[in-house]
Amino acid sequence: MFKFPYTKAISSLLIATALVACTPPEEKKVQYFNNGKALYEKGDFIKSRIEFSNALQIDPKYSEALYMRGLVELRRNNIRNAYSDLSNATKIDPHNLPAQIELIKLLLMTKNLDNAKDIIAGLDNNFSTNNDFLLIKARYLFQSDDLEGSEKLLLSLLEKDFKNDEVYVLLSYSLLKQKKIQEAEDVLLKALNTYPSSVSIKTSLVNVYDIQGKNEETQKLLNELIASDPENLTHKLAYSKFLFKTGKNEEAVQSLKKSYLERPNDIAFLSNVVQLLNATNNANESEELLKTGLEKNKDNFEIRHMLSMLLSSKG
């Protein structure tokens, strides 16, 4: 008898579909959640958001899924959606500390200190010994100009040997704000022994060296940062700013041109380069680079607008 060649495959598919359809809702939402976390860790934020949303369709009060979707929205720079998800996650489960911390960070980022203060006050009783909570509280106190309170918490975390480079960075900021520049440098150099690969510590140390006019140390550390992460445009912009500041105008201009031409379709980076060139009286070089950008990105409105604004300012 003739047998249809795809019968076995179709049967397997039908069985698999039936199994999924018969999976209890509680198991399905966990499957969606776990899939979302795996995708998030791979950096696939669009697909991970879909999985977390699927989990939330089954259980709209799934605090962990709201928290993770909030993180996705943060990574995609959707601040309003991130706030909504993180806020809902903490309302459903006030003991979801990671969600509470991310919500406080978001409030501090948007300078909403009053709401951050209220949340911290509500968490103090239950999490007063939790290191992650104490760190975000120290950040709040720093932004509220309570430098003494912030420093006290940060030093207590160091005494407890809390492993987080942000403690040192925040402490250095506090010391700088009090004009204790040498102390800030000492803190960061000590931190560098513990966290030799920390970008945030090195970046903060660049700032401290720059304030003191330690040009040799500044240049060396900036070169280290660029070498360790050649794709990081922030370091390259910082290096060019340093070159301008130390009077190496031509070298700075060439560095900016080279960095842009390595990624000619990055309009946001081009905008930053143009702003820096204009701010350092290099409008002609800025015009030349914008025209190059138009050649590489035909009819791009943003580049045309930047060029038009530049030409009108030059008269």
Side-chain angles (χ1 to χ4, degrees):
M1 179 188 290
F2 173 76
K3 291 186 179 180
F4 188 65
Y6 302 116
T7 301
K8 186 178 288 187
I10 292 171
S11 298
S12 299
L13 181 60
L14 289 171
I15 291 167
T17 304
L19 286 172
V20 170
C22 294
T23 305
E26 189 66 25
E27 286 184 31
K28 281 177 75 174
K29 81 169 189 181
V30 172
Q31 284 177 6
Y32 285 133
F33 178 80
N34 289 338
N35 289 341
K37 279 193 79 172
L39 289 163
Y40 176 84
E41 286 162 10
K42 290 178 182 177
D44 192 339
F45 302 126
I46 293 174
K47 288 182 181 177
S48 67
R49 188 188 186 285
I50 292 169
E51 293 295 318
F52 294 132
S53 296
N54 286 338
L56 287 162
Q57 281 188 334
I58 296 170
D59 181 2
K61 293 187 176 182
Y62 195 176
S63 178
E64 283 299 310
L66 281 165
Y67 161 60
M68 286 304 303
R69 193 171 70 178
L71 292 185
V72 170
E73 298 293 13
L74 280 175
R75 295 297 293 269
R76 298 177 67 201
N77 206 30
N78 293 329
I79 303 302
R80 183 175 295 181
N81 290 347
Y83 177 80
S84 175
D85 279 344
L86 292 171
S87 182
N88 286 330
T90 59
K91 286 174 186 173
I92 291 164
D93 180 9
H95 289 88
N96 186 339
L97 185 59
Q100 295 278 21
I101 288 173
E102 289 301 326
L103 181 58
I104 295 167
K105 284 181 183 178
L106 186 54
L107 291 169
L108 294 179
M109 184 179 74
T110 54
K111 295 182 171 54
N112 193 337
L113 298 181
D114 289 339
N115 282 354
K117 179 182 179 181
D118 291 341
I119 294 172
I120 288 168
L123 295 172
D124 245 332
N125 287 336
N126 292 318
F127 298 104
S128 60
T129 59
N130 182 283
N131 291 339
D132 293 310
F133 170 69
L134 292 175
L135 178 55
I136 196 64
K137 184 177 179 180
R139 192 195 289 191
Y140 159 75
L141 292 172
F142 171 77
Q143 284 191 223
S144 303
D145 287 326
D146 183 355
L147 301 183
E148 184 179 344
S150 176
E151 201 170 317
K152 184 178 177 181
L153 280 180
L154 293 168
L155 290 172
S156 74
L157 288 170
L158 290 178
E159 285 175 10
K160 292 197 285 183
D161 199 29
F162 178 47
K163 300 296 184 186
N164 190 315
D165 59 354
E166 189 185 341
V167 178
Y168 291 96
V169 171
L170 194 51
L171 183 56
S172 74
Y173 288 165
S174 179
L175 292 167
L176 282 178
K177 216 168 184 179
Q178 299 171 69
K179 308 298 183 187
K180 299 176 181 178
I181 299 171
Q182 187 56 54
E183 288 183 46
E185 181 183 338
D186 293 341
V187 163
L188 291 169
L189 287 172
K190 180 182 177 183
L192 209 52
N193 289 327
T194 308
Y195 304 97
S197 302
S198 172
V199 172
S200 58
I201 288 172
K202 288 181 180 179
T203 303
S204 300
L205 192 52
V206 163
N207 183 44
V208 172
Y209 283 151
D210 189 44
I211 290 170
Q212 297 177 89
K214 293 185 175 181
N215 294 340
E216 188 177 333
E217 291 88 342
T218 302
Q219 185 164 5
K220 181 183 176 184
L221 205 48
L222 281 169
N223 283 328
E224 275 184 33
L225 285 165
I226 291 169
S228 64
D229 188 3
E231 296 302 310
N232 191 312
L233 303 176
T234 304
H235 302 327
K236 293 186 177 182
L237 280 172
Y239 183 67
S240 295
K241 286 179 184 177
F242 167 75
L243 292 174
F244 279 126
K245 187 176 180 179
T246 52
K248 298 175 181 176
N249 192 78
E250 184 58 30
E251 189 178 342
V253 169
Q254 294 307 317
S255 175
L256 288 171
K257 285 182 178 179
K258 181 175 181 291
S259 295
Y260 169 64
L261 291 173
E262 287 171 356
R263 50 191 61 74
N265 303 120
D266 191 334
I267 312 302
F269 181 61
L270 175 59
S271 176
N272 286 326
V273 168
V274 166
Q275 287 179 43
L276 183 53
L277 288 171
N278 291 341
T280 52
N281 301 315
N282 289 285
N284 290 336
E285 287 77 5
S286 183
E287 180 183 343
E288 179 189 328
L289 205 57
L290 284 169
K291 287 177 177 176
T292 301
L294 269 181
E295 290 174 10
K296 304 285 185 182
N297 303 271
K298 299 295 184 185
D299 298 320
N300 183 278
F301 174 78
E302 284 185 70
I303 300 176
R304 285 190 181 280
H305 179 67
M306 284 189 280
L307 183 57
S308 173
M309 294 293 288
L310 176 64
L311 293 175
S312 64
S313 69
K314 289 173 72 176

